Amino acid sequence: MATFLRGALSAALIAAMALGCSAHADQTTDKLKATLQARLPDLQIKSITKAPVAGLYEVNVGAQLIYSDANGDYVFVGDLLDTKAHANLTEARLAEINKVDFASLPLANAVKVVKGNGSRKMAVFSDPNCPYCKQLEASLKSIDNVTVYTFLYPVLSDDSTAKAKAIWCSADRAKTWEAWMLERRAPSGAGTCDTSAIDKNLALGRGLNVTGTPTIILADGRRLPGAVSADALERALGKAR
């Protein structure tokens, strides 16, 4: 009985200590958030957690991480590098924080292109006038057995919006999209169909912190920003299975 009581008391003590540490951490991060928000009102702080360096805090402002001391007196913007492991900790954390639940994406609002058996899946936020998006489309020509869901994301100009609507209203969206991006054949659709999907894509992208095009989302939720090469994309698709 004595042994049981000691064990129960020990468990209760450990639980209390854990709760105390958690409460202390919450108080520190809550205070830090309030301080930074007051001093840097333009920041949209999503969360604050301890960084893997003593006394340093990771501040998530969406598409970027910044770092602060516990009092919010000093911040720096840049990558935190692990010199022993030769790893970019900031990059790894951003990839983790910005993972997307692929199954939750409204794929009905995307242009669907199937290559080969289409067994591998990826989504892309793309602007019709984005040169890097055209570069990515060229790379995709050599990628087989993949289904690409392109969310038309016209953020560059009014002409981007007009082209996106014309592509969405075309009889064959996939062919029209590829014809424009790869062959510069302008879409002939007048954009007179229901184009609310494009407005929904813009809202979706903002919600997911898509700040540039192209932005690739793999089936496992990882992101690949920019016009990655065909080789890099092939490797990433292999890991996403």
Side-chain angles (χ1 to χ4, degrees), residues 124-140:
V124 186
F125 283 82
S126 193
D127 184 301
N129 286 330
C130 161
Y132 297 108
C133 300
K134 291 181 172 69
Q135 189 177 325
L136 175 62
E137 290 296 323
S139 296
L140 282 168

Side-chain angles (χ1 to χ4, degrees), residues 29 32-33 36-37 44-50 57-62 64-66 93 97:
T29 54
L32 176 57
K33 182 176 181 179
L36 289 175
Q37 205 69 81
Q44 294 185 349
I45 300 173
K46 294 200 164 188
S47 63
I48 298 180
T49 57
K50 281 188 175 181
Y57 287 80
E58 169 194 291
V59 184
N60 175 10
V61 293
Q64 186 180 23
L65 294 179
I66 65 175
R93 277 289 290 152
I97 290 169

Side-chain angles (χ1 to χ4, degrees), residues 59-161:
V59 184
N60 175 10
V61 293
Q64 186 180 23
L65 294 179
I66 65 175
Y67 298 93
S68 172
D69 69 315
N71 297 321
D73 294 332
Y74 304 97
V75 298
F76 76 86
V77 179
D79 290 346
L80 188 61
L81 307 178
D82 183 333
T83 58
K84 290 182 180 179
H86 296 279
N88 187 322
L89 301 183
T90 302
E91 189 177 84
R93 277 289 290 152
L94 274 173
E96 179 185 344
I97 290 169
N98 289 320
K99 265 193 171 184
V100 175
D101 179 7
F102 194 91
S104 72
L105 292 174
L107 301 179
N109 293 337
V111 176
K112 181 180 178 181
V113 176
V114 180
K115 298 173 182 289
N117 63 25
S119 58
R120 302 180 295 180
K121 292 178 172 55
M122 59 179 278
V124 186
F125 283 82
S126 193
D127 184 301
N129 286 330
C130 161
Y132 297 108
C133 300
K134 291 181 172 69
Q135 189 177 325
L136 175 62
E137 290 296 323
S139 296
L140 282 168
K141 287 177 67 177
S142 62
I143 304 291
D144 202 9
N145 299 329
V146 63
T147 301
V148 183
Y149 296 94
T150 299
F151 288 92
L152 299 175
Y153 196 60
V155 292
L156 294 180
S157 66
D158 289 340
D159 184 65
S160 293
T161 301

Side-chain angles (χ1 to χ4, degrees), residues 1 17 20 25 75 85 116 158 164 223:
M1 177 65 104
M17 288 174 65
V75 298
D158 289 340
R223 299 187 189 209

